[in-house]
Amino acid sequence: MPLTSDADIATLLNETRTIALVGASDRPDRPSYGVMKVLQDHGYRVLPVNPQIAGEHIHGEFVWNGLADIGVPIDMVDIFRNSAAAGEVVDDAIAAGAKAVWMQLGVVNEDAAARAEAAGLKVVMDHCPAIEIRRLALPPITPAE
């Protein structure tokens, strides 16, 4: 069952330190660009993933081709892809050893959520972490060492 309670969402956000943002954009008019900055400003390390601009940088972070290429532990995968494409990203998140998957506003994939939960990952669907941080008035996190 995906996380829906304020307490569960707050716990996930407070325990997370490293976020892979799949579907990151280097275009300031795209929601993923602004959300990435909000998450960084909150203290998270955000690793952008976008094969179309791999090797470039967004907000000072190297853009990765895929989750498998990152090579550091990932606490949460934030999915800025449509609902149909989210399934493949969830499978990649499971393979990469992520602890949670977060599907952005409007992104719902029940089958992918069930696969993630069966693999032991926490799941949030149809929410934005940047909005939840503000709504829940969460204090900035202490970055990972």
Side-chain angles (χ1 to χ4, degrees):
M1 181 63 88
L3 305 181
T4 57
S5 77
D6 288 354
D8 289 342
I9 289 173
T11 296
L12 174 59
L13 289 168
N14 285 327
E15 291 175 350
T16 295
R17 294 294 177 271
T18 303
I19 300 171
L21 197 151
V22 176
S25 177
D26 59 353
R27 294 177 20 212
D29 62 320
R30 303 293 297 174
S32 64
Y33 184 88
V35 167
M36 180 175 170
K37 183 67 173 142
V38 168
L39 294 174
Q40 285 179 317
D41 289 349
H42 198 71
Y44 299 106
R45 177 156 188 219
V46 184
L47 305 169
V49 177
N50 184 332
Q52 295 178 337
I53 55 172
E56 296 180 23
H57 289 79
I58 302 174
H59 300 302
E61 285 284 353
F62 181 86
V63 180
W64 297 93
N65 185 59
L67 294 175
D69 301 319
I70 292 176
V72 299
I74 300 166
D75 294 321
M76 184 171 80
V77 176
D78 187 6
I79 304 173
F80 268 95
R81 301 286 315 276
N82 66 41
S83 296
E88 182 180 345
V89 177
V90 167
D91 293 339
D92 290 347
I94 293 166
K99 297 175 187 171
V101 290
W102 187 298
M103 299 181 213
Q104 275 291 336
L105 288 172
V107 182
V108 175
N109 186 319
E110 298 289 350
D111 291 338
R115 288 195 307 275
E117 289 173 333
L121 281 71
K122 294 179 181 175
V123 177
V124 176
M125 290 192 293
D126 195 22
H127 285 76
C128 175
I131 291 171
E132 295 303 308
I133 287 166
R134 289 185 194 121
R135 185 180 70 80
L136 298 169
L138 299 178
I141 58 127
T142 304
E145 295 299 318

